[in-house]
Amino acid sequence: MDEEQWLRLKTTDLSYINAIEELNILNRLKCGQTLIKFKSNGHSYSRLYYLDIFENAIHYSGSSHKFKHKACKIKNIDQIRSGFTTAVWKKCLDKRKISPEKSNLAFSILFHNNRYSLDLLAETEHICTQWIESLEYLINRYRSHVRTYHEITDQWIWFLFSHADRDHSGSLSRREVHRLLFTLNIKLNEDEIDKYFKLANIRRNNDEELTHLDKDEFLILYRLVSYRPELLKIICRFNGSTPEQIAGMLSDNTTINNLPYSIPVEHPYDMSSISFQKSRKKSILSRCHRHQQEKLPSVLLENSSSSSSSDVTAKKNCFTTKQLKDFLQYEQHMKRISIEDSSKLIDRFEPSNDRRIYKELSIDGFRLLLLHDEFCILNTDKTQRVYHDMTRPITDYFIATSHNTYIRDNQVYGSCTYETFIHALLTGCRAVEMDCYDGDNMEPIVYHGKTLTRPITFRETILAIETQAFEISPYPLFLNIENHCSYDQQGVMACHLKEIFKDHLLSKPLVDDFQSLPSPEELKYKVIVRSRRYPKGKIPADPKSNQSSDETEPNPKDYHPDFASLIIYSEIVSFTNINHTISTQKCFHSISFKESKVDHLINMHAPEHLDLIKLTKPNLVRVYPSNKRQNSSNVHPVNYWTYGVQMVALNHQANDEAMWLHHGFFSDNGGCGYLLKPSYLLSNDETFDPKEKVYENVKYLQIHIISAQHLPKKTDSIENIDIADPYVEVVTHGIQCDNTKHRTASVRNNGLNPIWDYKINLNIYCPELCLILFKVRDRDRFTRSALLGQACIPFTALQLGYRHIKLRAKDGDYIHGTLFVHIKIE
């Protein structure tokens, strides 16, 4: 973390909206509002829409019955739009089911990667504006994913309490507590439940109170079972605690680490590079709750105003300003941090007033600090700003690329939609694709030819693209147009492109007689057409034949000069062989390869396979999935990036591992969709070989997988009685020798805060092209292990020291779950 990043951290205010405004916004939505829902067939329904009390979903109830339904979860919302902008609204307008004058009353909630929309009409413009602003606030709050410990206790925990309180008595019986622990994704035996129940039951004035927990006692129970001793041990390392003091504090405070340890791996991978270090604290932890305590553990008193600042034991489980500075300097590698900076961090993250007065950071404050984005595993100085040199020719960059962007589901049937373009652009994609055919009334259409996919018009497609083209990134956007249109309708396409994109459309070279392509910096805010440009009457090759593997048209075409004139810096040409291509092609010529063709080039014996790298230095190369992938599965992108392929086209609608790698790879460099290739893929030095080790660049990487927190159940339902047996897979992707796979053993019956304490030691020979994929799975003896969460981190964006990894679901949405690791690089 450099000085600029640190200054940004010091000036960032998490509470960008004050508490009163927040309360007003949320209460407004919770009270509910009658809105009219419209469907694509023109039917409309009056419904009461409202935010649920847990603030994580929009619900509605019908006008004629009392049943309540979930409309959409906040975490699934991609966008809020005002006006008649979705396909549903346009169909309603076409059918004259609504008047265009009511545009100011309309808004749409788009969710599940922009594939679906909830289209609503408000009674007044004021109500419409309120809902749009309130929903955008909720989305931004979720996307900031600064879900602090207090937010969890204030919302999620009360939800759990209400859910467990089946008889609505306002307290929980032992049986209800037992059921609640299943909800928390942890299984304890009866003796352990009794211990925690008694520790949490602090009133004990009568027999009734001995058998039930009220809300305050329930919060104590939650803090007992979710306590994190690994954070206490880190604090103790830096505050000078003796081994005896550490043992005493762990004995007082640790609650769940006497659960069963990891169970053996049934089919282990090669573990030669893993150094397993099982914690030696078991003998200490076995004394946990040896005696029935009549008082709360010290950790539960940290935030109490009655806790004494002079208590030596209490002081040992916190950081002073100097100890926090030492930790951040020496363990987290924040070299320029000062005592004053540490003091400000305590003021910012410590929840206890008393602790803040005495400038002490408790375990709760330490947890909040480590969960903040700036202190998590991704270096925000690399993921939130563009730091690569953007002034080199555009062929020197990897470009985030989409395949058949118009398809919502699989490649054979279903609807085409322009919403998929918007979703791709909002995730940083800088090259989208459309297959264009003749449509009715001289309006070209976009769809997958010779399939059952339902088309959309070319005009509405580029209108949608125009609205979001540079929302996420200012760098050039490629329109990969597979042109199947007649001569006349090509002219219509050219007219639409010029009319809609205006000055953003690149219609002539930036300079005459260019010998190399311009840079992303020079092409900022430009739309570049990538397609074929043939003289009139020329017959291109057939893409379905074995002789050609590039994207071409199946029939002879005349090329309209207006359309051909727009193909400036990315003209698709046919490929014969690499030597012929390198010797004859111009810098603006571009090649498209089907995956099977480029796989053949990669699988050639040395040194012939290195010819592909020679090809990607002067020319833009695009690789796209085989037409056999009718289910919209994806190619493995890393294989092609290691050979310098700029455009690896992926089906963005697929929630698969290839897309996880894609999002991880392009999260670097500010997420702008362009990554400068490593120098060895750009220079004339031919010593680099993706199939060989690069000893000059080798880095030693140690990943210490410590623990996880708040993992979901495999069905993501609190009703599921099955408790997770989580384990972690760590898979590295890069050049051939950097492809490794490792896994921990599984921890039985604990998805709340399992501890593995395992270390993985790796040599990474090409760090610039290395991605680290973390997958948390639920071990199952009888079925395939279910994914609980995943995260893909570029090696170049790793932060050192103790770091949380914020996990995502399969579809890329953030979940509450986190991994806690220690990263060391030499």
Side-chain angles (χ1 to χ4, degrees):
M1 184 181 292
D2 63 18
E3 188 171 8
E4 180 184 348
Q5 183 185 12
W6 172 237
L7 286 172
R8 238 188 6 258
L9 171 61
K10 289 196 291 186
T11 56
T12 300
D13 183 9
L14 286 177
S15 57
Y16 59 92
I17 185 168
N18 67 49
I20 295 177
E21 285 182 289
E22 177 182 14
L23 189 62
N24 290 337
I25 288 172
L26 299 179
N27 284 341
R28 217 158 42 213
L29 263 63
K30 287 178 183 176
C31 290
Q33 187 69 51
T34 299
L35 303 167
I36 301 175
K37 174 187 175 182
F38 280 78
K39 300 183 72 173
S40 57
N41 58 10
H43 293 171
S44 60
Y45 308 87
S46 179
R47 299 285 186 264
L48 177 68
Y49 287 87
Y50 59 92
L51 177 68
D52 69 2
I53 61 172
F54 314 116
E55 301 173 7
N56 59 14
I58 300 296
H59 290 252
Y60 68 91
S61 57
S63 57
S64 59
H65 54 75
K66 297 181 180 179
F67 293 108
K68 299 176 182 178
H69 306 272
K70 186 178 293 182
C72 58
K73 293 182 178 180
I74 300 299
K75 72 173 187 177
N76 292 334
I77 298 177
D78 299 295
Q79 211 177 12
I80 307 295
R81 290 197 210 142
S82 61
F84 297 142
T85 60
T86 66
V88 170
W89 283 126
K90 290 180 179 179
K91 288 180 181 178
C92 290
L93 288 170
D94 291 342
K95 295 177 181 180
R96 298 184 180 180
K97 297 295 184 179
I98 193 166
S99 169
E101 287 75 25
K102 291 189 176 182
S103 175
N104 61 325
L105 307 179
F107 68 98
S108 300
I109 302 173
L110 289 99
F111 53 98
H112 287 314
N113 296 340
N114 283 60
R115 296 178 195 174
Y116 305 99
S117 64
L118 177 61
D119 302 279
L120 303 169
L121 194 73
E123 186 176 347
T124 67
E125 188 173 352
H126 178 67
I127 293 172
C128 179
T129 302
Q130 278 192 336
W131 268 76
I132 291 173
E133 291 176 351
S134 301
L135 287 169
E136 285 178 343
Y137 166 74
L138 284 170
I139 296 168
N140 290 331
R141 187 179 72 168
Y142 174 79
R143 286 179 182 170
S144 70
H145 48 89
V146 185
R147 301 291 294 174
T148 68
Y149 179 71
H150 292 295
E151 286 177 328
I152 291 174
T153 55
D154 289 348
Q155 297 172 24
W156 185 61
I157 289 303
W158 298 142
F159 166 65
L160 295 180
F161 182 93
S162 301
H163 183 79
D165 185 15
R166 296 294 179 90
D167 58 3
H168 306 292
S169 64
S171 61
L172 300 183
S173 65
R174 286 177 187 270
R175 183 175 181 182
E176 288 171 329
V177 168
H178 193 277
R179 188 184 300 117
L180 171 68
L181 292 172
F182 277 95
T183 301
L184 287 170
N185 209 359
I186 185 171
K187 184 177 182 180
L188 305 177
N189 62 43
E190 292 298 329
D191 290 341
E192 290 164 335
I193 292 174
D194 285 343
K195 291 176 183 178
Y196 302 142
F197 193 92
K198 290 177 181 178
L199 282 169
N201 200 315
I202 57 177
R203 290 182 172 80
R204 306 184 185 181
N205 293 327
N206 54 55
D207 291 341
E208 176 66 22
E209 289 180 352
L210 278 171
T211 60
H212 288 73
L213 300 180
D214 62 21
K215 282 191 175 183
D216 292 334
E217 292 170 324
F218 166 65
L219 180 57
I220 293 171
L221 175 76
Y222 168 76
R223 296 187 68 185
L224 281 166
V225 297
S226 65
Y227 186 67
R228 294 182 57 184
E230 70 270 31
L231 299 185
L232 175 60
K233 292 183 74 175
I234 295 170
I235 291 175
C236 290
R237 278 185 52 207
F238 281 84
N239 68 11
S241 298
T242 65
E244 292 76 15
Q245 289 171 323
I246 296 174
M249 281 184 283
L250 286 171
S251 179
D252 283 344
N253 300 327
T254 306
T255 61
I256 66 168
N257 284 318
N258 54 349
L259 294 176
Y261 272 86
S262 303
I263 56 182
V265 181
E266 291 181 340
H267 303 288
Y269 300 105
D270 179 14
M271 299 294 187
S272 59
S273 61
I274 304 180
S275 173
F276 292 102
Q277 290 194 346
K278 185 166 284 190
S279 173
R280 296 181 179 179
K281 61 182 177 289
K282 193 171 183 179
S283 61
I284 298 173
L285 301 180
S286 64
R287 300 201 302 270
C288 178
H289 304 299
R290 179 180 296 171
H291 306 290
Q292 297 296 331
Q293 301 179 38
E294 295 298 320
K295 62 179 182 178
L296 291 177
S298 59
V299 66
L300 300 179
L301 296 173
E302 282 184 348
N303 297 333
S304 171
S305 59
S306 62
S307 60
S308 172
S309 62
S310 62
D311 185 81
V312 176
T313 303
K315 279 195 174 184
K316 287 297 182 181
N317 60 9
C318 64
F319 276 130
T320 65
T321 50
K322 183 181 184 308
Q323 291 161 358
L324 178 60
K325 180 185 80 72
D326 290 343
F327 168 77
L328 295 174
Q329 265 190 349
Y330 301 116
E331 194 62 62
Q332 306 297 88
H333 298 264
M334 297 173 62
K335 302 301 182 185
R336 295 174 179 166
I337 190 124
S338 66
I339 288 287
E340 182 184 357
D341 295 329
S342 297
S343 176
K344 290 179 179 179
L345 286 173
I346 291 174
D347 289 339
R348 182 174 171 185
F349 290 107
E350 175 52 49
S352 164
N353 291 329
D354 285 353
R355 292 288 193 190
R356 288 198 300 272
I357 291 171
Y358 290 100
K359 295 299 180 184
E360 296 171 345
L361 188 72
S362 66
I363 294 178
D364 278 351
F366 188 40
R367 181 197 326 225
L368 294 178
L369 182 146
L370 289 179
L371 280 169
H372 186 271
D373 278 358
E374 296 285 347
F375 294 95
C376 285
I377 194 168
L378 274 172
N379 187 341
T380 55
D381 202 39
K382 295 188 175 182
T383 59
Q384 294 183 8
R385 74 179 184 95
V386 175
Y387 69 96
H388 287 185
D389 178 5
M390 304 301 287
T391 63
R392 299 177 62 94
I394 204 165
T395 48
D396 290 358
Y397 297 83
F398 298 114
I399 304 171
T401 304
S402 169
H403 173 248
N404 285 355
T405 316
Y406 51 89
I407 291 179
R408 186 171 72 180
D409 299 301
N410 66 45
Q411 307 287 311
V412 179
Y413 56 85
S415 296
C416 300
T417 172
Y418 56 78
E419 297 294 353
T420 50
F421 288 90
I422 293 174
H423 169 69
L425 293 170
L426 291 177
T427 59
C429 184
R430 303 317 295 156
V432 297
E433 183 184 29
M434 58 194 79
D435 294 2
C436 300
Y437 294 83
D438 284 355
D440 296 335
N441 303 317
M442 287 297 291
E443 274 296 335
I445 57 174
V446 175
Y447 86 114
H448 203 195
K450 300 181 180 178
T451 68
L452 301 177
T453 53
R454 292 191 291 274
I456 52 178
T457 68
F458 177 78
R459 179 179 175 79
E460 65 181 343
T461 300
I462 61 173
L463 276 169
I465 292 172
E466 190 275 333
T467 64
Q468 305 294 332
F470 303 105
E471 185 72 20
I472 298 299
S473 172
Y475 294 105
L477 173 64
F478 284 85
L479 300 184
N480 192 80
I481 297 177
E482 191 171 316
N483 175 19
H484 300 268
C485 290
S486 64
Y487 181 88
D488 289 337
Q489 294 209 19
Q490 288 177 50
V492 175
M493 283 200 298
C495 182
H496 287 336
L497 288 166
K498 293 174 183 177
E499 174 197 347
I500 292 169
F501 289 115
K502 298 182 174 64
D503 292 341
H504 290 302
L505 182 66
L506 187 75
S507 56
K508 62 180 181 179
L510 300 184
V511 295
D512 296 329
D513 300 324
F514 57 92
Q515 300 301 313
S516 64
L517 296 186
S519 69
E521 190 67 29
E522 293 171 305
L523 291 168
K524 265 186 172 180
Y525 299 105
K526 288 297 182 183
V527 174
I528 301 173
V529 175
R530 181 179 183 273
S531 190
R532 284 187 169 270
R533 179 179 59 202
Y534 288 98
K536 184 176 179 180
K538 183 164 177 113
I539 301 176
D542 183 352
K544 310 302 180 185
S545 70
N546 294 329
Q547 287 75 31
S548 173
S549 59
D550 55 306
E551 295 167 337
T552 53
E553 296 73 28
N555 297 304
K557 291 288 183 293
D558 292 335
Y559 282 76
H560 197 290
D562 289 350
F563 180 77
S565 68
L566 299 178
I567 305 167
I568 310 296
Y569 291 135
S570 193
E571 177 188 343
I572 300 175
V573 296
S574 298
F575 173 81
T576 52
N577 62 69
I578 287 180
N579 290 331
H580 175 266
T581 298
I582 292 175
S583 62
T584 61
Q585 288 189 1
K586 307 296 184 181
C587 65
F588 55 85
H589 286 158
S590 181
I591 301 162
S592 287
F593 285 124
K594 191 186 301 182
E595 61 174 289
S596 56
K597 177 60 179 178
V598 77
D599 286 344
H600 171 73
L601 295 175
I602 290 174
N603 292 331
M604 294 178 70
H605 296 297
E608 286 82 2
H609 70 101
L610 298 179
D611 288 344
L612 180 58
I613 297 178
K614 295 179 183 178
L615 180 64
T616 60
K617 288 178 182 178
N619 297 102
L620 279 175
V621 175
R622 183 178 188 269
V623 174
Y624 61 97
S626 165
N627 52 17
K628 295 180 181 179
R629 295 181 180 270
Q630 296 182 357
N631 62 348
S632 293
S633 61
N634 277 313
V635 300
H636 193 290
V638 182
N639 293 341
Y640 308 121
W641 290 327
T642 60
Y643 280 84
V645 174
Q646 295 91 344
M647 295 178 166
V648 181
L650 298 182
N651 292 303
H652 275 51
Q653 70 271 35
N655 300 320
D656 58 11
E657 188 167 305
M659 283 307 303
W660 306 344
L661 296 171
H662 172 94
H663 289 315
F665 191 55
F666 286 103
S667 66
D668 201 358
N669 198 32
C672 73
Y674 282 82
L675 298 176
L676 183 63
K677 295 184 195 178
S679 58
Y680 40 80
L681 286 174
L682 300 175
S683 67
N684 293 323
D685 182 6
E686 298 181 2
T687 59
F688 173 73
D689 186 339
K691 296 180 181 179
E692 301 293 336
K693 294 180 178 179
V694 187
Y695 289 98
E696 295 80 4
N697 299 323
V698 66
K699 300 284 186 183
Y700 167 75
L701 170 66
Q702 183 184 84
I703 304 172
H704 184 186
I705 302 172
I706 301 172
S707 61
Q709 298 76 41
H710 294 101
L711 297 176
K713 296 188 178 185
K714 59 184 177 183
T715 60
D716 198 23
S717 170
I718 62 174
E719 298 288 351
N720 186 355
I721 63 171
D722 186 34
I723 304 299
D725 297 333
Y727 65 91
V728 182
E729 281 185 355
V730 180
V731 187
T732 59
H733 297 270
I735 63 173
Q736 189 167 295
C737 60
D738 286 341
N739 293 329
T740 66
K741 192 172 187 178
H742 311 269
R743 64 165 284 184
T744 70
S746 56
V747 174
R748 193 188 301 277
N749 291 331
N750 188 353
L752 182 64
N753 55 348
I755 292 181
W756 292 280
D757 197 20
Y758 285 162
K759 292 181 180 177
I760 300 172
N761 298 290
L762 298 166
N763 286 327
I764 302 297
Y765 291 90
C766 188
E768 296 90 343
L769 294 173
C770 180
L771 297 171
I772 305 167
L773 180 60
F774 296 86
K775 294 185 281 188
V776 184
R777 293 189 174 276
D778 181 9
R779 177 181 179 268
D780 195 310
R781 292 184 179 182
F782 308 107
T783 61
R784 188 170 182 267
S785 297
L787 181 77
L788 302 180
Q790 54 86 16
C792 183
I793 314 295
F795 184 97
T796 53
L798 286 172
Q799 294 208 94
L800 305 182
Y802 290 98
R803 305 292 176 179
H804 283 97
I805 301 173
K806 295 187 175 179
L807 298 173
R808 298 173 182 261
K810 184 178 180 181
D811 63 3
D813 283 336
Y814 280 105
I815 60 176
H816 287 307
T818 54
L819 268 181
F820 188 52
V821 301
H822 182 271
I823 301 294
K824 180 180 179 182
I825 298 175
E826 293 178 359

